[in-house]
Amino acid sequence: MSDEPLVLGIETSCDETGVGIVRGQTLLVDTVASSVEEHARFGGVVPEVASRAHLEAMVPTIERACREAGVRLRDLDAISVTSGPGLAGALLVGVASAKALALALGKPIYGVNHLASHVAVDIVEHGPLPEPTMAMLVSGGHSSLLLVPDVTNDVRSLGSTMDDAAGEAFDKVARVLGLPFPGGPHVDRAAREGNRIAIDFPRGLTTGRDMERHRFDFSFSGLKTAVARWVETRQRAGEAVPVADVAASFQEAVVDVLTRKALLACKEHDVDHLLIGGGVAANSRLRALAEERCAKAGVTLRVPRPGLCTDNGAMVAALGAQMVAKGRLPSDLGLPTDSSMPVTLVQA
Ligand code: KG4
Ligand code: ZN
């Protein structure tokens, strides 16, 4: 029997009920029940619908994870759970479930940060994290650039989005183009047939004073508006909208800014490993451009497989296992949820 910590992780910060089990740095199972289809007709995640779906999915998802991993609950060394940031009601379901498990089993509980978990998950995919690592997290809810000297207790924020998250911009532009929600994968697909230099869309916060004041921050709302205006003008003139070209040019504007700022951060902070996580990390052009620019800069790129980039329980278990392995003290059983938990706070 291995003496590496066996940790079950629970993630409910948005619309995915994720339960993962990790032993040390090895992923045993990653089970996800998503309510994304229930939100599709609203064009975005409805918090109350998500909370209800978590409640219904929680016990079956935990049971399925244990069954598939061949793990008995009593063999666990700890329970790990996302305590924030995220949707308040959704987080409550996960944290209450984790507390119930911890109390009933007499196991320690670790309330951890969702964003640090997105970083830690790459340990089960590509091995130990170089310290420090630069991490760029891009999803429907966040766009952050993080300097990570130690994912268990030292995560520093270099910048984040001032308005829309990167994935949110993809979802909104998809809607303008008449593509389904969530729009990212559809824009990605449409863009493959398009010309990425067809339309010169704005690159937010990349010039002059913006680069002094918001060096590593992002802004996508101006870009989103520019795309909407461009499409409207065409439509009003009765002209057909070249969906593939708009998708490709918009996508290029997003990934150009993301990769440019991420590599500048690596250079200025003398970091030679860049990790990209979050749902938008699945974007094919982001991966390609990041690879190209990292290779040129001598930076090693780490991107977990798409299933581990989107929200999941394995990432929370992975961070929990690191906490145990590094001897970090567990959280109090009365640990709170914090919908706006700062990224610098790794543990609640
Ligand atoms: O990490 P995630 O599953 O959930 C959170 O938002 O936390 O990310 C979902 C986001 C959505 O906005 C979706 O449109 C975007 O990731 N996304 C993509 C792609 N796949 C998912 N965006 C661009 N290209 C993709 N291939
Ligand atoms: Zn996330």
Side-chain angles (χ1 to χ4, degrees):
M1 214 44 196
S2 154
D3 57 2
E4 290 183 303
L6 183 64
V7 177
L8 179 139
I10 297 177
E11 152 63 36
T12 62
S13 67
C14 193
D15 59 342
E16 261 101 27
T17 312
V19 178
I21 303 178
V22 163
R23 186 187 291 285
Q25 304 190 0
T26 308
L27 177 61
L28 302 187
V29 73
D30 180 30
T31 347
V32 178
S34 175
S35 61
V36 68
E37 279 164 21
E38 294 174 50
H39 307 285
R41 69 194 168 102
F42 301 106
V45 175
V46 184
E48 292 309 319
V49 173
S51 306
R52 168 69 53 170
H54 287 309
L55 210 50
E56 286 167 4
M58 185 56 68
V59 172
T61 310
I62 291 174
E63 285 174 347
R64 184 149 70 94
C66 288
R67 196 169 55 242
E68 287 178 11
V71 163
R72 292 171 306 186
L73 285 174
R74 63 171 180 271
D75 295 333
L76 294 171
D77 293 303
I79 313 291
S80 175
V81 61
T82 303
S83 50
L87 302 171
L91 289 168
L92 270 177
V93 178
V95 169
S97 309
K99 285 179 181 177
L101 273 181
L103 188 64
L105 299 165
K107 307 286 182 187
I109 186 170
Y110 288 81
V112 298
N113 190 300
H114 177 83
L115 296 164
S117 303
H118 268 302
V119 178
V121 74
D122 200 48
I123 294 171
V124 301
E125 180 93 326
H126 296 117
L129 276 184
E131 295 180 342
T133 287
M134 190 64 69
M136 180 165 69
L137 301 181
V138 276
S139 77
H142 24 261
S143 308
S144 315
L145 208 45
L146 308 172
L147 177 62
V148 188
D150 177 349
V151 74
T152 66
N153 82 342
D154 189 1
V155 175
R156 303 175 199 176
S157 174
L158 298 183
S160 60
T161 182
M162 312 293 293
D163 37 61
D164 292 347
E168 208 177 344
F170 271 93
D171 295 339
K172 289 177 177 170
V173 162
R175 204 199 305 213
V176 166
L177 294 176
L179 302 170
F181 173 85
H186 298 280
V187 172
D188 193 348
R189 211 165 303 130
R192 279 177 209 160
E193 313 295 319
N195 176 0
R196 51 183 184 254
I197 57 165
I199 310 155
D200 188 17
F201 285 130
R203 269 73 167 153
L205 303 184
T206 52
T207 50
R209 295 208 27 212
D210 281 342
M211 271 311 272
E212 285 164 32
R213 282 193 300 194
H214 296 290
R215 198 164 194 75
F216 299 121
D217 289 322
F218 305 105
S219 167
F220 299 111
S221 91
L223 169 61
K224 171 197 69 190
T225 308
V227 174
R229 291 237 174 85
W230 195 93
V231 169
E232 268 167 33
T233 306
R234 281 290 178 114
Q235 285 169 333
R236 241 185 261 123
E239 293 170 26
V241 175
V243 172
D245 284 350
V246 176
S249 301
F250 156 76
Q251 177 173 274
E252 194 65 13
V254 175
V255 307
D256 175 29
V257 175
L258 290 176
T259 52
R260 227 196 284 175
K261 292 209 175 198
L263 281 154
L264 182 65
C266 287
K267 186 173 166 211
E268 292 188 358
H269 290 269
D270 199 18
V271 175
D272 59 6
H273 281 76
L274 172 66
L275 186 157
I276 306 183
V280 180
N283 185 270
S284 58
R285 180 63 187 149
L286 174 58
R287 284 178 179 244
L289 192 58
E291 263 166 35
E292 192 184 307
R293 290 184 172 172
C294 281
K296 210 182 268 174
V299 169
T300 305
L301 178 65
R302 294 171 59 129
V303 190
R305 73 181 109 107
L308 294 179
C309 279
T310 51
D311 292 350
N312 62 79
M315 66 190 211
V316 182
L319 181 53
Q322 287 296 302
M323 293 283 192
V324 177
K326 289 218 173 180
R328 307 262 172 246
L329 290 178
S331 306
D332 189 274
L333 196 53
L335 78 107
T337 55
D338 182 354
S339 59
S340 51
M341 189 168 178
V343 64
T344 45
L345 189 66
V346 176
Q347 188 184 352

